[in-house]
Amino acid sequence: MMLAAVLSGFVLAAGAPWLTARLGGGWAGWLFALLPASIFVWLLGFIPELGAGESFYFYYPWIPGLDVNLTFLLDGLSLLFALLITGIGTFILIYAGRYLAGDPNQGRFFLFLIAFMASMLGLVLSSNLIALFVFWELTSITSYLLIGYYHEDEKSRKSAQQGLYVTVGGGLALMAGLIMLALAGGSYELVELLSASEVIQQHPFYLPLLLLILVGAFTKSAQVPFHFWLPNAMAAPTPVSAYLHSATMVKAGVYLLARLHPALGGSTSWLLLLGLFGAVTMFTGSLLAIRSTGLKSVLAYSTVMALGTLIMLIGIGTPTAIAAAVTFLLAHSLYKGSLFMTAGNITHATGLKDFRDLGGLARAMPLSTLFGVLAALSLAGFLPLFGFIGKELMFEAVVGAGPLTLIVTLLALLSAMITVAVAAIVGLRPWFGTRRATKTPPHDPPFAQLLGPALLALLGLLFGLLPWLAEQGVLAAAARAVAGEPVPLNLALWHGFNLPLLMSLFSLLVGGVLFWQWERVRTLLAAQQWIDRYGPERGYERKMAWLVRIAEWQTRILQNGYLRYYLLITVGTLLLLVGYGIVTRYPHWPGLDFSGVSLPGLLVALLVAAGAFMAVTARSRLGAVATLGAVGFGMALLYVLFSAPDVGITQVLVETLTVILLVLVLFRLPGFLSLSKGTNRKRDTVVAVLLGGTFTLLLLMTIEVQLFASISHYFIEHSYVSAHGRNIVNVILVDFRALDTLGEIFVLALAAIGVYAMIKLRAEDQKR
C-alpha cells in the first residue's frame, strides 16, 4: 500500500495533460486533488499507533544485490511531513486549477506539480539512502521545470537554472556524504543507521560525511551562503511558490537533518555548524525581507528566515529545541502557504505585485483580508495564533543553547523584531489605509482560490486555541523521532510570566516601531546596495561567467574543426598512458600460441587484414568503403566461428547500414583529392601501427593474465534455470545486465527525442 501511495502520483502525473485537456483546468484541479486528499486521510489512520511510540517499516525489493531497495519508514517525523505534503498539496491543486485557468500549458503544469509532489512524498518516507537520494534529485528536476514554467521569460529561465545548479551541486555532495554514512554505519537503511550513533560518530569519516551532507541540506533549504536562489525562484507561478518554497521542497534539507539527528546529532561539530549557520540565515532572511517590497519576495525572504530558525533549532538539539522545531515547522507551513496564496489572489485581483502600490483593499476583498490578517498574525507570533506558541518555544530553546546561547539569543531576538514588522507589512499594508488605484477592479477570488488560504489560516487559529490537537499524536511523535526518545511538548498559550514571554512582547513592541518607520528603514537598508556586489549571488554569477570563458577558451583550442587533430590527440594520449603502463608494470611480453587457430579462422583473419590494407591504399572513396565493409563482414564471420551467431547477425546489420549510409554520403562530397603530404601520411602510418600493436598486446595480456575465475560458466549454468532463457547472450543483456541495457535504451531514447525535436523545429521554421 505504501509503494502504491508513493508511485500513484507519478502515474497520475503522466495522465495529467490528457485529463486537463478534456476536463478543463478548474475541474481537473479538483479531480487531481482527490489523490493527495485520499493519501492524507489514509495517513491519518496511523496517528494512534505512532502517537503510542510505534513505527512502520515497508520493504519492497528493488536491486537487492546492491543493497538498494524501496523501503519506507513511517514514524512521527515522516508522518508530519507526509501530511503537510498531501494536505497542502490538495489545496494547491485546487487553487492552481482556478489560478491558471485559460493557460494553454496548464496540463503540463499539473504534470510537473504532481510529479514533484510524488517525489517529495517518496523522499520523506524513504528508509534506503539510495532511494532517498533518487527522490531528492527528482525534486530538484521537477522544481526546475516548475520554476521555469514561463520559459519564454528570460528571468524565469535564469532563475530555474540557478536553482537547479545550486541544488544539484549540493546533491552531488549529498550523494558522497550518504555513501560515506553507509560505509561508516554499515548499512544503507535508515532504520539501522539511526541506532548506530556511537559507531558513526567515532568513525574517521564522521566529519567529512557531516560536511558533505550539510552542503546538500544547506543548498536545498537555502542556508547562507546558498540562500539567494530561493527568492529568485519566485519567478514561478504563485501555486509553485506557495507549495515548493514554503511547505515542501525548501524543507527537504530541514527534514534530512532532522531525520539524521539521532545518528549525527549531539556532537560539537553538529551544534556549531547547524547552530551558527542557522542563526545567521535566520537574521539574514529577516533583514532582506524588510528591505524588499514585492509581494512574493518579502514572503520568500521570510521563508529563508524560517528555514534558518529550523536548522538552528535542530542544531541546538535539546528536547526544548526539538519540540520548538516541529512546532515551528507546522506553524510556518500553515501561515506561509496561506500568505503565498493570498498574495497570488491580490495580484490576480489587482494586477499589482508591490506593497508600495497597494492599500485599502479590505472593503473590496473582505474575505481575503480576514484570512490574510490571520495568517500574518501567526507569522508575527500574536496571541492566540499557533505561531505564538512556536515563537515562544523558539525563545525558550535559544536561551538554553549552551555555548551558543549569547549569539543565537541575540540573533533570534533581532530576527523576531524584524519579522513582526514584516508580518505587519504583509498583514496590514495591502488591506488598510488609503485606497490606491489598481490595474483591475479588486474583488475576492472564487471559492477554489479562497479555500486553501482560508483553511490553512483557520487551522493556525484552531491549533493556537487548542494546541493539544496538534500535539497529541503528530507533533509529539515527530519530536520523538527527531530526538530518538520521548520529548515533552506541553504546548499552551500561557506558561506564566517568563523570559520567553518577555522576549516575545519586546519583539512585538519593537517590530511595531519598525513597521511604523518602514519607509525609513527600507531606505536606509537600500542605501547599502554595495553589499550585494560582494554577496554570494554575485559570486555565483562570476563563477558562471568564468565557466563560460573557460568553455570558450577550450573550444577554441581543442575543438578547432580538424578531425585529424582530434584523432591524433586522442590516440596519442592513449598510446602514452597505456604504453607507459605496459612498459612499467607488465613483467614480460606475452607469448604467442597458435595451437588453437583453425584454418577457417586463419582465412577470415587474412581476409580482414587484406580488407584493412586495401582500405588505406584505395584511391577512391567507394573502394575504401567497400573494403571497409569487407572488414566488418569478416568480423561477423569470426563471431559465427566462435559460436556467437546473434552477435554476428548484429554485426552484419550494423555493417550493412554503415556501408549504405557512407555510400549515400559520398554523393554529397567533392571528388577524391590527395590533400595529405607524404610526411603526414608517414606519421599517420606510424600512429596507426602503434595503436594496432598496443591493442594487440592488451588483448594478449588479457588472455594470459586472469585475476579472477571466468564467469562464463555461471551464465551457462544459470541462464535457463534463473532467467528462463536459452539464448545466453540475450539473457545476459536482458536479465544479468539489465541496468546496463536500460541505460543504453535510455540514451538512445534521448537521442531519438532530440532528433525528433530538431526535425520538428526545422519543419515549423520552413512553414513560417
Side-chain angles (χ1 to χ4, degrees), residues 417-455:
M417 297 173 186
I418 300 173
T419 301
V420 170
V422 171
I425 296 167
V426 173
L428 299 178
R429 193 173 180 92
W431 314 114
F432 305 106
T434 304
R435 173 71 178 272
R436 296 175 181 266
T438 56
K439 294 181 180 180
T440 56
H443 56 277
D444 267 325
F447 178 73
Q449 285 181 237
L450 200 60
L451 177 64
L455 287 181

Side-chain angles (χ1 to χ4, degrees), residues 38 55 81 117 170 240-241 272 277 429 518 554 685 744 752:
S38 301
S55 61
F81 273 88
M117 184 185 302
V240 177
S241 304
L272 293 177
F277 274 93
R429 193 173 180 92
W518 179 52
Q554 68 89 19
T685 301
E744 293 169 2

Side-chain angles (χ1 to χ4, degrees), residues 43 128 178-179 264 313 323 383 485 513 521 525 599 611 613 766:
L43 290 172
N128 186 275
L178 293 179
I179 293 173
L264 304 180
L313 292 172
L383 280 166
E485 58 185 10
V513 174
V521 172
L525 293 175
L599 180 60
F613 179 78
Q766 290 176 348

Side-chain angles (χ1 to χ4, degrees), residues 755-765:
V755 171
Y756 172 76
M758 292 173 63
I759 295 173
K760 185 177 180 181
L761 289 173
R762 183 175 181 181
E764 292 178 353
D765 290 340

